[in-house]
Amino acid sequence: MIWYYLIRRLFLLSFVFFALTCFAFSLGYLFPGDPLVNFSGISQPDDELLPVLVQQYRLEQGYLQQYLAFLQRILQGDWGLSLASQQPVLHEIIRVFPATLELVSYALFISFVLGVPLGLIAAIKANHWTGRAISSIALLGYSLPIFWWALLMIMLFSIGLGWLPTSGRISVLYEIPVTTGFMLPDILMSGQTYWQAALQDAIRHLWLPAFVLATYPTTVMIRFTRDAMLSVWQQSYIKTARAKGLSRSQVLYRHGLRNAMLPVLRQLGLQFSTLVTLAMITELIFSWPGIGLWLLDSINQRNYPAIQGGLLVISSLVILVNILLDILYTLLNPLARKQVHG
Amino acid sequence: MLKPSLKNAPLISLLCWLGTGCQPEMPAEVRSGLVYCSEGAPETFNPQLVTSGTTIDATSRQLFDRLLDIDPISGDFVPALATHWEVREDGLSYTFYLRPEVQFHTTDYFTPSRPLQASDVRFSFERIMQTEHPFHRIGGGDYPYFQTVDWGNRVSRIATPAENQVVFYLRQRDSSFLSNLATDFAVIHSAEYAEQLQQQHQPQRLDSHPIGTGPFRFREYRKDGFIRYYRHNDYWGTPSQLEQLVIDIEPNNAKRMARLLTHECDIIAYPRMSELELISQRPDIKVQQQSSLNVGFWAFNTSRPPFNDARVRRALAMAINRDAILQSVYFEQAQNASTLLPPSSWGHHPEIALPSYDPDAARQLLSEAGFPYGFAMTIWAMPVQRLYNPNATRMAEMMQADLARIGVRATIVSLEWNAFRRQLRLGEHDSVLLGWNADNTDPDNFFRPLLSCNGVESGTNRAMWCDPAFDALLGQALLTDDRSIRRSYYWAAQEYLAEHLPLLPLAHGKRFQAINARVGGITMNPYGGIDLSGAFLRQPEGAP
């Protein structure tokens, strides 16, 4: 049964990837300028190189052959050169991507740690003033425009109080060689004598952007946890459990929370694309050298091969996370497994 | 060794952060490092290949030395890599005696085996002049400054009679020769490094992984992120007090300012003029200013009608309210320009006045020239902020309104900076708002790049103005070393320009930089790039 479900999912996944690569491929023609330049990123191919490239990109053949060649290049890791730096696009993406993953995962961590307990409290004390306060704050956080919120935080904590830095991942005076691309492990592996101070500095840099980025998912988490908990609380099995004499906390953790978290997990997947968009804005404001900042710069510079590669990576990530969470949801929820056709 | 304390570190720092005002104890490498926040990324690490101020600021004075320098206060030549020099009586040969025991940088990609020799100087300049030189074409083969001063035709050859002697032979007298050698572009590279790169078949690294003799050595560059330099410990001059120098690249003005306020930057380039007054009130920030050898101007494309008619150019000049521009674009932080040369230059003609603001007379002049109903034109406004023009778009908008009063319909063109320069070079503009920063104190450095026929070819003469009579004046002025004779030629040149107006000088900007008050030792040059080697950091009170 479950295998059937997984195969269906994988089939869906491959179809979405097909559509995505089709779109990315057609961008080469939709962007202004020569498709050869848009694909290869070589701004002025000389006379020797030109026929080689035309051959390699199968530009003299039909669109289908070109698309297949494109697919082959993508799989082989030849994503063309960045027009701005003349470095391979894939290398640049690998260089900047860990910074984004790092920021997003810390933000998600914060939102879990804060959001779930707050949502629980809001559900349990739904009619108490604490519950109402949490719900209103969540609504407020949900509707804050992130760029405004980020600037406000910078004004307060960086410029006003002078506690936290405004930009980057670490003070540029610390020399941390790039090994994994994730800052905190890199510091631990750098072997610098000042690694403790560097770690402290990196955390100071992390605080503001992670907090700003966490605002939205935290409020989403609070709202979903609260709503899910409230509806679970109405279920008859909860009443039964209570009637059997289980304590309030036993019911809450063993029967309530686990069932309430399932829809939250599913929602999380749907919110992931919003989170990525917000991460890009956060990166721009805090000069965080991740893929969002890199992609926005590339758009500014009309760097077509980079835009193509960046879009491909980000949308694949969003799709992949969505489907993974969906599968996880199914595995955890026996009811959903029975509704594979639904 | 790390292991036992590793567990606690994040906890400690988190706790530390939660306690308010807990600043981390900074290690020595970080404490004695300076962060200079620049407005853009350098195009290359070889100053010979560019004229852009951003690249010069980042590279020239930090990594390299020249044969001689100019004293920023007196304007006299002072020894640098050459301890002294001799000029033959006919002015056709210059002999330089090199300083002994000058060491090149030792980095992880190059270890020099010998100190500076005459062959290094010869290599550095022959790369520019000899088209068949193995390094000439590397990096594009464009040496814009040297092309403008016609270096290839002026210097016939370079000889090295001894290891510490270099002789430059000139084809004709050139009184600006020493000034050219003292510019930020005339840097000395290592011939030994070049040889090594050739053997490794990586000649292009000469311009991306620089080796010089300057006060700092190259460490790393993360594109569009930052540049890291370390101190050159065997520097021949006074070694810098800074352990490291980081040039942090932040094109956004507001973010640069914010980083200065949070002390992430020690120095920021080009603070916004409208904010200067505000930040100068803070005790932790100093604003430095220096009148600088530069000029902002409005150049007409004289190769196109109707701008090839001097009456049209004069009429347009009269239509512009320059006082209003000085007020709302420069915030009064600049001097009104009357000629191309700033008043601090020795060649400045004090008695020249530009046509004054008079829209009625302008309209009349325009109908005399055959345009009673005006015409349509473009004003190209440069997209970047420069000393000589802090906000070209705003300026263009004001001019657009002024021009509308005499019936001229102006449209503003603004492109991305590289595309802008490329298309200007093709002469696609009607008029352009641009400017010039002097590279040395010689007046020739203003006239020749901006208005000579050579400047049209090398792409610095945006007025596309090629007038043999004017070129002859400039040529005459170079044939003697007598300053009073030279001055008379430059005065004549300025009078000639005031009559023909191929470009309208607008203002001479003052150079500003905002500095954290704990930084000392930054002196500003009236010309050329910033020199950070003298900088030092005052330790906070109470520290050992």
Side-chain angles (χ1 to χ4, degrees):
Chain A
M1 239 9 216
I2 187 74
W3 291 112
Y4 181 60
Y5 171 79
L6 283 180
I7 287 165
R8 278 178 63 98
R9 287 284 120 178
L10 283 178
F11 193 71
L12 179 70
L13 186 72
S14 52
F15 182 76
V16 172
F17 274 125
F18 167 71
L20 193 64
T21 46
C22 274
F23 177 66
F25 168 74
S26 57
L27 279 181
Y29 280 91
L30 295 175
F31 285 138
D34 188 353
L36 183 67
V37 175
N38 293 344
F39 283 128
S40 68
I42 300 167
S43 45
Q44 272 153 352
D46 52 31
D47 294 341
E48 282 175 37
L49 199 58
L50 197 66
V52 181
L53 284 176
V54 169
Q55 170 71 24
Q56 192 192 344
Y57 287 73
R58 311 226 182 119
L59 283 187
E60 79 288 2
Q61 298 174 23
Y63 288 124
L64 184 66
Q65 279 87 350
Q66 288 181 38
Y67 169 73
L68 290 176
F70 171 78
L71 219 54
Q72 201 182 354
R73 286 198 309 276
I74 293 290
L75 291 176
Q76 284 170 351
D78 170 19
W79 294 31
L81 298 180
S82 155
L83 281 174
S85 65
Q86 292 294 301
Q87 299 292 316
V89 169
L90 192 61
H91 284 197
E92 295 210 332
I93 291 179
I94 291 172
R95 181 171 57 86
V96 295
F97 201 48
T100 304
L101 277 185
E102 200 175 23
L103 183 63
V104 170
S105 48
Y106 292 131
L108 275 179
F109 176 72
I110 293 177
S111 67
F112 259 111
V113 169
L114 286 181
V116 174
L118 284 177
L120 269 183
I121 297 173
I124 298 166
K125 310 234 168 181
N127 295 320
H128 194 252
W129 66 268
T130 39
R132 294 220 175 104
I134 292 171
S135 302
S136 352
I137 290 173
L139 187 66
L140 194 71
Y142 189 72
S143 30
L144 280 180
I146 189 168
F147 55 88
W148 178 81
W149 178 233
L151 291 178
L152 210 67
M153 290 284 115
I154 290 180
M155 290 278 286
L156 179 64
F157 288 107
S158 300
I159 295 175
L161 296 169
W163 289 353
L164 297 170
T166 60
S167 59
R169 303 168 78 188
I170 189 167
S171 163
V172 282
L173 288 171
Y174 292 100
E175 186 179 348
I176 306 296
V178 182
T179 28
T180 60
F182 294 92
M183 186 49 87
L184 301 187
D186 273 358
I187 292 173
L188 296 179
M189 282 189 272
S190 67
Q192 296 280 25
T193 48
Y194 48 64
W195 66 274
Q196 273 178 313
L199 202 63
Q200 224 165 324
D201 192 69
I203 291 174
R204 274 164 41 94
H205 278 81
L206 194 58
W207 204 250
L208 266 190
F211 178 70
V212 165
L213 183 58
T215 307
Y216 178 82
T218 307
T219 55
V220 169
M221 200 69 83
I222 293 176
R223 283 157 56 98
F224 286 147
T225 313
R226 177 181 176 272
D227 293 352
M229 202 64 205
L230 280 179
S231 79
V232 165
W233 215 239
Q234 305 299 325
Q235 302 292 325
S236 41
Y237 61 82
I238 296 283
K239 287 184 189 136
T240 316
R242 286 284 277 164
K244 276 180 157 176
L246 288 179
S247 76
R248 192 181 159 90
S249 59
Q250 274 175 318
V251 176
L252 187 68
Y253 293 115
R254 205 171 296 162
H255 300 279
L257 193 58
R258 190 180 155 186
N259 287 310
M261 284 323 281
L262 280 172
V264 174
L265 193 68
R266 187 166 216 187
Q267 286 297 332
L268 198 68
L270 296 178
Q271 298 297 333
F272 190 76
S273 59
T274 320
L275 190 67
V276 170
T277 317
L278 294 180
M280 291 170 90
I281 299 173
T282 312
E283 283 178 11
L284 181 68
I285 293 173
F286 290 98
S287 308
W288 189 270
I291 195 167
L293 189 65
W294 177 81
L295 190 62
L296 289 173
D297 275 347
S298 304
I299 292 171
N300 268 336
Q301 295 163 344
R302 314 279 187 276
N303 188 349
Y304 299 120
I307 299 174
Q308 208 174 27
L311 282 180
L312 206 59
V313 166
I314 290 180
S315 19
S316 315
L317 179 78
V318 169
I319 293 166
L320 210 64
V321 166
N322 258 311
I323 290 188
L324 279 180
L325 281 177
D326 209 27
I327 293 175
L328 196 68
Y329 171 75
T330 318
L331 290 179
L332 292 178
N333 186 3
L335 278 179
R337 283 204 296 268
K338 292 198 176 138
Q339 295 167 347
V340 277
H341 302 286
Chain B
M1 215 172 112
L2 296 184
K3 262 197 172 160
S5 47
L6 204 76
K7 266 187 206 160
N8 297 329
L11 189 70
I12 291 169
S13 30
L14 205 69
L15 287 177
C16 175
W17 189 83
L18 290 171
T20 50
C22 174
Q23 292 290 335
E25 184 67 27
M26 286 208 283
E29 292 91 331
V30 177
R31 242 187 351 237
S32 61
L34 183 96
V35 182
Y36 170 79
C37 289
S38 86
E39 75 286 3
E43 301 151 61
T44 162
F45 283 90
N46 183 358
Q48 296 176 323
L49 299 171
V50 294
T51 53
S52 108
T54 309
T55 307
I56 293 298
D57 277 342
T59 58
S60 186
R61 301 243 152 210
Q62 331 309 340
L63 294 171
F64 295 101
D65 285 305
R66 294 135 296 277
L67 286 175
L68 65 163
D69 277 327
I70 300 174
D71 186 298
I73 297 151
S74 65
D76 296 333
F77 295 117
V78 289
L81 290 182
T83 49
H84 58 290
W85 51 88
E86 288 160 2
V87 188
R88 207 165 68 191
E89 229 157 72
D90 59 3
L92 293 182
S93 95
Y94 288 73
T95 308
F96 293 87
Y97 297 89
L98 300 183
R99 193 177 290 277
E101 291 303 311
V102 172
Q103 299 298 335
F104 280 102
H105 301 154
T106 304
T107 61
D108 44 11
Y109 50 86
F110 176 66
T111 311
S113 70
R114 56 167 179 80
L116 172 82
Q117 283 177 0
S119 58
D120 296 315
V121 179
R122 203 168 108 185
F123 164 78
S124 305
F125 290 103
E126 282 186 345
R127 173 181 179 183
I128 297 168
M129 7 184 325
Q130 298 178 351
T131 43
E132 70 280 7
H133 191 276
F135 276 86
H136 183 77
R137 297 248 152 247
I138 307 294
D142 261 342
Y143 302 87
Y145 180 77
F146 296 94
Q147 283 160 355
T148 311
V149 296
D150 205 10
W151 179 275
N153 288 326
R154 281 165 186 268
V155 181
S156 62
R157 70 190 176 88
I158 300 170
T160 50
E163 265 188 11
N164 69 333
Q165 256 181 57
V166 188
V167 191
F168 289 80
Y169 292 98
L170 270 58
R171 289 215 170 79
Q172 51 174 314
R173 252 181 182 292
D174 181 356
S175 52
S176 68
F177 182 69
L178 285 178
S179 301
N180 287 337
L181 282 183
T183 56
D184 288 340
F185 314 106
V187 297
I188 306 300
H189 288 272
S190 161
E192 191 191 359
Y193 177 50
E195 216 169 282
Q196 180 192 314
L197 288 179
Q198 245 182 327
Q199 281 163 8
Q200 295 167 349
H201 302 289
Q202 289 183 314
Q204 72 287 354
R205 280 175 71 94
L206 189 73
D207 303 330
S208 63
H209 290 71
I211 292 289
T213 55
F216 295 100
R217 63 191 163 87
F218 181 83
R219 173 73 189 166
E220 62 171 329
Y221 171 43
R222 301 228 181 123
K223 181 144 175 45
D224 296 326
F226 60 85
I227 311 164
R228 187 187 310 282
Y229 297 147
Y230 277 173
R231 177 173 56 207
H232 176 31
N233 286 326
D234 303 322
Y235 185 51
W236 59 269
T238 326
S240 170
Q241 295 187 31
L242 306 171
E243 288 267 342
Q244 59 168 327
L245 168 67
V246 176
I247 298 174
D248 198 0
I249 298 158
E250 177 51 73
N252 183 308
N253 285 320
K255 282 191 191 170
R256 236 174 20 248
M257 182 63 77
R259 287 195 205 180
L260 179 75
L261 298 180
T262 57
H263 300 182
E264 286 165 88
C265 295
D266 293 309
I267 306 173
I268 59 168
Y270 303 103
R272 267 198 286 205
M273 293 211 173
S274 49
E275 286 162 352
L276 280 177
E277 207 172 319
L278 192 74
I279 57 168
S280 61
Q281 289 165 358
R282 288 181 55 129
D284 56 340
I285 286 162
K286 287 183 298 188
V287 175
Q288 285 189 331
Q289 83 166 48
Q290 158 87 49
S291 64
S292 166
L293 286 174
N294 65 45
V295 61
F297 54 76
W298 184 28
F300 306 105
N301 186 346
T302 56
S303 66
R304 284 186 174 197
F307 309 98
N308 51 2
D309 185 339
R311 286 173 301 179
V312 172
R313 301 195 295 261
R314 179 166 292 272
L316 294 175
M318 286 161 85
I320 302 300
N321 186 350
R322 288 185 297 138
D323 288 334
I325 287 179
L326 208 67
Q327 213 167 47
S328 45
V329 177
Y330 294 90
F331 295 95
E332 304 282 356
Q333 310 281 15
Q335 288 169 290
N336 213 332
S338 58
T339 88
L340 209 53
L341 289 181
S344 51
S345 164
W346 56 261
H348 176 76
H349 192 320
E351 277 150 32
I352 286 184
L354 291 172
S356 50
Y357 174 56
D358 188 346
D360 295 326
R363 201 178 297 120
Q364 205 171 353
L365 197 59
L366 213 53
S367 39
E368 274 173 36
F371 298 96
Y373 305 110
F375 50 84
M377 66 181 288
T378 56
I379 302 177
W380 287 46
M382 58 174 194
V384 291
Q385 184 185 20
R386 286 286 181 267
L387 216 51
Y388 42 73
N389 195 338
N391 191 345
T393 318
R394 172 92 190 94
M395 189 187 276
E397 284 161 7
M398 294 178 69
M399 294 169 91
Q400 194 178 30
D402 282 340
L403 290 173
R405 297 184 59 185
I406 63 162
V408 173
R409 299 168 299 282
T411 30
I412 300 170
V413 179
S414 194
L415 298 167
E416 183 270 327
W417 184 222
N418 282 323
F420 188 82
R421 285 192 296 186
R422 201 167 44 239
Q423 301 204 18
L424 272 186
R425 207 171 170 141
L426 301 175
E428 291 176 7
H429 56 291
D430 287 339
S431 72
V432 58
L433 290 171
L434 217 65
W436 181 257
N437 252 330
D439 310 300
N440 60 48
T441 51
D442 203 298
D444 188 66
N445 187 258
F446 276 91
F447 295 112
R448 188 170 299 277
L450 292 178
L451 290 165
S452 72
C453 299
N454 267 336
V456 177
E457 282 161 36
S458 68
T460 48
N461 180 347
R462 310 301 195 189
M464 305 286 170
W465 201 55
C466 181
D467 184 332
F470 183 75
D471 266 24
L473 269 178
L474 297 184
Q476 293 273 314
L478 287 186
L479 293 181
T480 170
D481 282 326
D482 185 333
R483 207 167 254 199
S484 60
I485 300 177
R486 291 190 67 194
R487 182 180 289 131
S488 65
Y489 280 116
Y490 289 127
W491 280 26
Q494 286 166 72
E495 282 161 15
Y496 195 82
L497 289 182
E499 195 189 322
H500 290 87
L501 281 179
L503 49 75
L504 177 69
L506 295 166
H508 307 294
K510 293 179 188 159
R511 179 164 186 156
F512 288 91
Q513 60 202 15
I515 301 186
N516 189 317
R518 74 185 184 116
V519 181
I522 305 270
T523 47
M524 295 177 82
N525 262 344
Y527 47 82
I530 190 168
D531 183 355
L532 297 168
S533 63
F536 60 88
L537 304 169
R538 296 185 191 91
Q539 294 307 330
E541 282 170 39

